[in-house]
Amino acid sequence: MRIHHAAVNNPSYDPIRHILFREARGLRPGGYGVLLTKHLVDELLYSEKGNEVLLVKYLHSFRGTEHSP
């Protein structure tokens, strides 16, 4: 399913395409949340209905190596 009003579906050569789509339909500015999130977390897991999401970020462990705070 394509969500044309979301920035995550923009082609890499046109990162603001969704803005015109949103304006034409009277939607408020926005649409960058999922795109930004995809670059900050390691996994996005959607519920079956697609109305809930689990964000996963893996933290690196420094066990076995010296680490100064």
mmCIF file of all heavy atoms in Angstrom, residues 1-11 14-32:
data_model
loop_
_atom_site.group_PDB
_atom_site.id
_atom_site.type_symbol
_atom_site.label_atom_id
_atom_site.label_comp_id
_atom_site.label_asym_id
_atom_site.label_seq_id
_atom_site.Cartn_x
_atom_site.Cartn_y
_atom_site.Cartn_z
ATOM 1 N N MET A 1 0.837 -1.179 0.000
ATOM 2 C CA MET A 1 0.000 0.000 0.000
ATOM 3 C C MET A 1 0.883 1.244 0.000
ATOM 4 O O MET A 1 1.776 1.375 0.813
ATOM 5 C CB MET A 1 -0.883 -0.016 1.246
ATOM 6 C CG MET A 1 -1.751 1.175 1.383
ATOM 7 S SD MET A 1 -2.895 0.902 2.752
ATOM 8 C CE MET A 1 -2.882 2.496 3.458
ATOM 9 N N ARG A 2 0.650 2.139 -0.909
ATOM 10 C CA ARG A 2 1.403 3.391 -0.994
ATOM 11 C C ARG A 2 0.649 4.482 -0.242
ATOM 12 O O ARG A 2 -0.547 4.646 -0.420
ATOM 13 C CB ARG A 2 1.576 3.814 -2.452
ATOM 14 C CG ARG A 2 2.277 2.828 -3.335
ATOM 15 C CD ARG A 2 3.728 2.726 -3.162
ATOM 16 N NE ARG A 2 4.422 3.910 -3.620
ATOM 17 C CZ ARG A 2 5.689 4.129 -3.343
ATOM 18 N NH1 ARG A 2 6.362 3.272 -2.644
ATOM 19 N NH2 ARG A 2 6.291 5.202 -3.775
ATOM 20 N N ILE A 3 1.356 5.200 0.570
ATOM 21 C CA ILE A 3 0.777 6.333 1.277
ATOM 22 C C ILE A 3 1.404 7.571 0.661
ATOM 23 O O ILE A 3 2.492 7.990 1.026
ATOM 24 C CB ILE A 3 1.052 6.248 2.790
ATOM 25 C CG1 ILE A 3 0.524 4.931 3.342
ATOM 26 C CG2 ILE A 3 0.416 7.422 3.516
ATOM 27 C CD1 ILE A 3 0.909 4.674 4.783
ATOM 28 N N HIS A 4 0.734 8.149 -0.312
ATOM 29 C CA HIS A 4 1.295 9.231 -1.108
ATOM 30 C C HIS A 4 1.532 10.517 -0.327
ATOM 31 O O HIS A 4 2.333 11.345 -0.735
ATOM 32 C CB HIS A 4 0.405 9.511 -2.316
ATOM 33 C CG HIS A 4 0.293 8.333 -3.223
ATOM 34 N ND1 HIS A 4 1.320 7.918 -4.041
ATOM 35 C CD2 HIS A 4 -0.722 7.450 -3.426
ATOM 36 C CE1 HIS A 4 0.953 6.848 -4.715
ATOM 37 N NE2 HIS A 4 -0.279 6.541 -4.358
ATOM 38 N N HIS A 5 0.852 10.682 0.793
ATOM 39 C CA HIS A 5 1.037 11.907 1.575
ATOM 40 C C HIS A 5 2.188 11.799 2.580
ATOM 41 O O HIS A 5 2.464 12.727 3.313
ATOM 42 C CB HIS A 5 -0.255 12.280 2.302
ATOM 43 C CG HIS A 5 -0.669 11.290 3.343
ATOM 44 N ND1 HIS A 5 -1.344 10.139 3.032
ATOM 45 C CD2 HIS A 5 -0.475 11.278 4.677
ATOM 46 C CE1 HIS A 5 -1.578 9.460 4.136
ATOM 47 N NE2 HIS A 5 -1.055 10.130 5.146
ATOM 48 N N ALA A 6 2.903 10.655 2.601
ATOM 49 C CA ALA A 6 4.009 10.452 3.535
ATOM 50 C C ALA A 6 5.354 10.621 2.834
ATOM 51 O O ALA A 6 5.561 10.134 1.732
ATOM 52 C CB ALA A 6 3.918 9.057 4.135
ATOM 53 N N ALA A 7 6.266 11.301 3.482
ATOM 54 C CA ALA A 7 7.592 11.552 2.912
ATOM 55 C C ALA A 7 8.359 10.256 2.656
ATOM 56 O O ALA A 7 9.194 10.194 1.764
ATOM 57 C CB ALA A 7 8.396 12.456 3.840
ATOM 58 N N VAL A 8 8.070 9.226 3.416
ATOM 59 C CA VAL A 8 8.787 7.960 3.282
ATOM 60 C C VAL A 8 8.605 7.341 1.890
ATOM 61 O O VAL A 8 9.433 6.564 1.441
ATOM 62 C CB VAL A 8 8.369 6.989 4.408
ATOM 63 C CG1 VAL A 8 6.969 6.459 4.191
ATOM 64 C CG2 VAL A 8 9.369 5.864 4.555
ATOM 65 N N ASN A 9 7.554 7.727 1.173
ATOM 66 C CA ASN A 9 7.310 7.186 -0.159
ATOM 67 C C ASN A 9 7.830 8.075 -1.287
ATOM 68 O O ASN A 9 7.606 7.781 -2.452
ATOM 69 C CB ASN A 9 5.813 6.922 -0.355
ATOM 70 C CG ASN A 9 5.367 5.734 0.449
ATOM 71 O OD1 ASN A 9 6.062 4.733 0.523
ATOM 72 N ND2 ASN A 9 4.219 5.843 1.083
ATOM 73 N N ASN A 10 8.508 9.157 -0.951
ATOM 74 C CA ASN A 10 9.095 10.010 -1.982
ATOM 75 C C ASN A 10 10.278 9.296 -2.628
ATOM 76 O O ASN A 10 11.043 8.624 -1.949
ATOM 77 C CB ASN A 10 9.614 11.316 -1.382
ATOM 78 C CG ASN A 10 8.520 12.244 -0.967
ATOM 79 O OD1 ASN A 10 7.411 12.192 -1.461
ATOM 80 N ND2 ASN A 10 8.832 13.113 -0.031
ATOM 81 N N PRO A 11 10.457 9.481 -3.931
ATOM 82 C CA PRO A 11 11.670 8.949 -4.554
ATOM 83 C C PRO A 11 12.875 9.759 -4.080
ATOM 84 O O PRO A 11 12.741 10.926 -3.704
ATOM 85 C CB PRO A 11 11.428 9.137 -6.054
ATOM 86 C CG PRO A 11 10.362 10.166 -6.157
ATOM 87 C CD PRO A 11 9.569 10.117 -4.884
ATOM 88 N N ASP A 14 13.381 13.250 -5.399
ATOM 89 C CA ASP A 14 12.353 14.261 -5.150
ATOM 90 C C ASP A 14 11.864 14.153 -3.700
ATOM 91 O O ASP A 14 10.761 13.685 -3.437
ATOM 92 C CB ASP A 14 11.196 14.067 -6.135
ATOM 93 C CG ASP A 14 10.214 15.227 -6.135
ATOM 94 O OD1 ASP A 14 10.449 16.221 -5.418
ATOM 95 O OD2 ASP A 14 9.208 15.137 -6.854
ATOM 96 N N PRO A 15 12.684 14.607 -2.733
ATOM 97 C CA PRO A 15 12.371 14.388 -1.326
ATOM 98 C C PRO A 15 11.184 15.179 -0.772
ATOM 99 O O PRO A 15 10.749 14.927 0.333
ATOM 100 C CB PRO A 15 13.663 14.793 -0.611
ATOM 101 C CG PRO A 15 14.309 15.754 -1.533
ATOM 102 C CD PRO A 15 13.943 15.293 -2.926
ATOM 103 N N ILE A 16 10.643 16.109 -1.555
ATOM 104 C CA ILE A 16 9.491 16.879 -1.055
ATOM 105 C C ILE A 16 8.234 16.690 -1.906
ATOM 106 O O ILE A 16 7.301 17.473 -1.828
ATOM 107 C CB ILE A 16 9.845 18.372 -0.921
ATOM 108 C CG1 ILE A 16 10.270 18.972 -2.255
ATOM 109 C CG2 ILE A 16 10.910 18.595 0.137
ATOM 110 C CD1 ILE A 16 10.416 20.481 -2.217
ATOM 111 N N ARG A 17 8.188 15.645 -2.687
ATOM 112 C CA ARG A 17 7.026 15.388 -3.558
ATOM 113 C C ARG A 17 5.720 15.332 -2.769
ATOM 114 O O ARG A 17 4.687 15.819 -3.219
ATOM 115 C CB ARG A 17 7.230 14.078 -4.318
ATOM 116 C CG ARG A 17 6.010 13.702 -5.164
ATOM 117 C CD ARG A 17 6.153 12.360 -5.780
ATOM 118 N NE ARG A 17 7.052 12.469 -6.921
ATOM 119 C CZ ARG A 17 7.330 11.464 -7.724
ATOM 120 N NH1 ARG A 17 6.816 10.280 -7.509
ATOM 121 N NH2 ARG A 17 8.146 11.624 -8.734
ATOM 122 N N HIS A 18 5.751 14.755 -1.593
ATOM 123 C CA HIS A 18 4.523 14.606 -0.808
ATOM 124 C C HIS A 18 3.907 15.943 -0.417
ATOM 125 O O HIS A 18 2.712 16.026 -0.170
ATOM 126 C CB HIS A 18 4.790 13.760 0.435
ATOM 127 C CG HIS A 18 5.560 14.484 1.492
ATOM 128 N ND1 HIS A 18 6.886 14.798 1.360
ATOM 129 C CD2 HIS A 18 5.154 14.995 2.675
ATOM 130 C CE1 HIS A 18 7.284 15.454 2.428
ATOM 131 N NE2 HIS A 18 6.260 15.583 3.244
ATOM 132 N N ILE A 19 4.711 17.000 -0.355
ATOM 133 C CA ILE A 19 4.175 18.312 0.033
ATOM 134 C C ILE A 19 3.108 18.783 -0.955
ATOM 135 O O ILE A 19 2.043 19.262 -0.555
ATOM 136 C CB ILE A 19 5.313 19.347 0.166
ATOM 137 C CG1 ILE A 19 6.205 18.970 1.358
ATOM 138 C CG2 ILE A 19 4.758 20.756 0.329
ATOM 139 C CD1 ILE A 19 7.449 19.813 1.492
ATOM 140 N N LEU A 20 3.375 18.630 -2.251
ATOM 141 C CA LEU A 20 2.388 19.022 -3.261
ATOM 142 C C LEU A 20 1.126 18.175 -3.159
ATOM 143 O O LEU A 20 0.004 18.667 -3.301
ATOM 144 C CB LEU A 20 2.991 18.919 -4.662
ATOM 145 C CG LEU A 20 4.199 19.822 -4.925
ATOM 146 C CD1 LEU A 20 4.788 19.533 -6.301
ATOM 147 C CD2 LEU A 20 3.817 21.274 -4.786
ATOM 148 N N PHE A 21 1.297 16.894 -2.904
ATOM 149 C CA PHE A 21 0.160 15.978 -2.744
ATOM 150 C C PHE A 21 -0.690 16.416 -1.557
ATOM 151 O O PHE A 21 -1.919 16.486 -1.646
ATOM 152 C CB PHE A 21 0.682 14.550 -2.555
ATOM 153 C CG PHE A 21 -0.400 13.517 -2.532
ATOM 154 C CD1 PHE A 21 -0.817 12.906 -3.712
ATOM 155 C CD2 PHE A 21 -1.000 13.145 -1.346
ATOM 156 C CE1 PHE A 21 -1.812 11.938 -3.699
ATOM 157 C CE2 PHE A 21 -2.002 12.185 -1.321
ATOM 158 C CZ PHE A 21 -2.405 11.589 -2.505
ATOM 159 N N ARG A 22 -0.043 16.755 -0.441
ATOM 160 C CA ARG A 22 -0.774 17.172 0.754
ATOM 161 C C ARG A 22 -1.504 18.495 0.523
ATOM 162 O O ARG A 22 -2.661 18.659 0.922
ATOM 163 C CB ARG A 22 0.180 17.283 1.946
ATOM 164 C CG ARG A 22 0.764 15.946 2.378
ATOM 165 C CD ARG A 22 1.766 16.124 3.507
ATOM 166 N NE ARG A 22 1.083 16.371 4.759
ATOM 167 C CZ ARG A 22 0.692 15.411 5.594
ATOM 168 N NH1 ARG A 22 0.941 14.153 5.315
ATOM 169 N NH2 ARG A 22 0.068 15.714 6.708
ATOM 170 N N GLU A 23 -0.819 19.448 -0.104
ATOM 171 C CA GLU A 23 -1.445 20.751 -0.371
ATOM 172 C C GLU A 23 -2.667 20.614 -1.269
ATOM 173 O O GLU A 23 -3.698 21.242 -1.028
ATOM 174 C CB GLU A 23 -0.435 21.691 -1.019
ATOM 175 C CG GLU A 23 0.584 22.254 -0.062
ATOM 176 C CD GLU A 23 1.602 23.160 -0.745
ATOM 177 O OE1 GLU A 23 1.581 23.285 -1.993
ATOM 178 O OE2 GLU A 23 2.430 23.740 -0.024
ATOM 179 N N ALA A 24 -2.565 19.797 -2.295
ATOM 180 C CA ALA A 24 -3.671 19.613 -3.239
ATOM 181 C C ALA A 24 -4.898 19.009 -2.570
ATOM 182 O O ALA A 24 -6.019 19.224 -3.024
ATOM 183 C CB ALA A 24 -3.220 18.736 -4.400
ATOM 184 N N ARG A 25 -4.713 18.271 -1.493
ATOM 185 C CA ARG A 25 -5.829 17.628 -0.795
ATOM 186 C C ARG A 25 -6.232 18.345 0.481
ATOM 187 O O ARG A 25 -7.035 17.851 1.259
ATOM 188 C CB ARG A 25 -5.480 16.179 -0.511
ATOM 189 C CG ARG A 25 -5.624 15.365 -1.792
ATOM 190 C CD ARG A 25 -4.807 14.130 -1.797
ATOM 191 N NE ARG A 25 -4.908 13.460 -3.078
ATOM 192 C CZ ARG A 25 -4.244 13.829 -4.171
ATOM 193 N NH1 ARG A 25 -3.446 14.869 -4.157
ATOM 194 N NH2 ARG A 25 -4.372 13.161 -5.294
ATOM 195 N N GLY A 26 -5.624 19.509 0.717
ATOM 196 C CA GLY A 26 -5.990 20.288 1.899
ATOM 197 C C GLY A 26 -5.469 19.714 3.203
ATOM 198 O O GLY A 26 -6.003 20.032 4.262
ATOM 199 N N LEU A 27 -4.437 18.888 3.141
ATOM 200 C CA LEU A 27 -3.859 18.318 4.360
ATOM 201 C C LEU A 27 -2.847 19.296 4.950
ATOM 202 O O LEU A 27 -2.181 20.037 4.233
ATOM 203 C CB LEU A 27 -3.150 16.996 4.054
ATOM 204 C CG LEU A 27 -4.041 15.867 3.535
ATOM 205 C CD1 LEU A 27 -3.185 14.677 3.098
ATOM 206 C CD2 LEU A 27 -5.034 15.439 4.597
ATOM 207 N N ARG A 28 -2.718 19.286 6.262
ATOM 208 C CA ARG A 28 -1.736 20.149 6.918
ATOM 209 C C ARG A 28 -0.321 19.705 6.562
ATOM 210 O O ARG A 28 -0.109 18.559 6.171
ATOM 211 C CB ARG A 28 -1.949 20.133 8.423
ATOM 212 C CG ARG A 28 -1.711 18.777 9.051
ATOM 213 C CD ARG A 28 -1.856 18.843 10.572
ATOM 214 N NE ARG A 28 -1.745 17.543 11.178
ATOM 215 C CZ ARG A 28 -0.625 16.817 11.256
ATOM 216 N NH1 ARG A 28 0.489 17.280 10.780
ATOM 217 N NH2 ARG A 28 -0.624 15.634 11.825
ATOM 218 N N PRO A 29 0.671 20.582 6.722
ATOM 219 C CA PRO A 29 2.058 20.187 6.461
ATOM 220 C C PRO A 29 2.473 19.045 7.387
ATOM 221 O O PRO A 29 2.006 18.950 8.513
ATOM 222 C CB PRO A 29 2.864 21.446 6.785
ATOM 223 C CG PRO A 29 1.891 22.559 6.676
ATOM 224 C CD PRO A 29 0.566 21.985 7.090
ATOM 225 N N GLY A 30 3.342 18.205 6.926
ATOM 226 C CA GLY A 30 3.813 17.081 7.735
ATOM 227 C C GLY A 30 4.265 15.945 6.843
ATOM 228 O O GLY A 30 4.504 16.127 5.652
ATOM 229 N N GLY A 31 4.364 14.772 7.433
ATOM 230 C CA GLY A 31 4.704 13.594 6.657
ATOM 231 C C GLY A 31 6.135 13.129 6.784
ATOM 232 O O GLY A 31 6.534 12.181 6.120
ATOM 233 N N TYR A 32 6.932 13.778 7.652
ATOM 234 C CA TYR A 32 8.331 13.381 7.782
ATOM 235 C C TYR A 32 8.589 12.453 8.972
ATOM 236 O O TYR A 32 9.700 11.977 9.145
ATOM 237 C CB TYR A 32 9.224 14.613 7.920
ATOM 238 C CG TYR A 32 9.439 15.337 6.623
ATOM 239 C CD1 TYR A 32 8.813 16.544 6.383
ATOM 240 C CD2 TYR A 32 10.259 14.803 5.648
ATOM 241 C CE1 TYR A 32 9.004 17.217 5.190
ATOM 242 C CE2 TYR A 32 10.450 15.466 4.453
ATOM 243 C CZ TYR A 32 9.823 16.667 4.234
ATOM 244 O OH TYR A 32 10.016 17.323 3.049
#
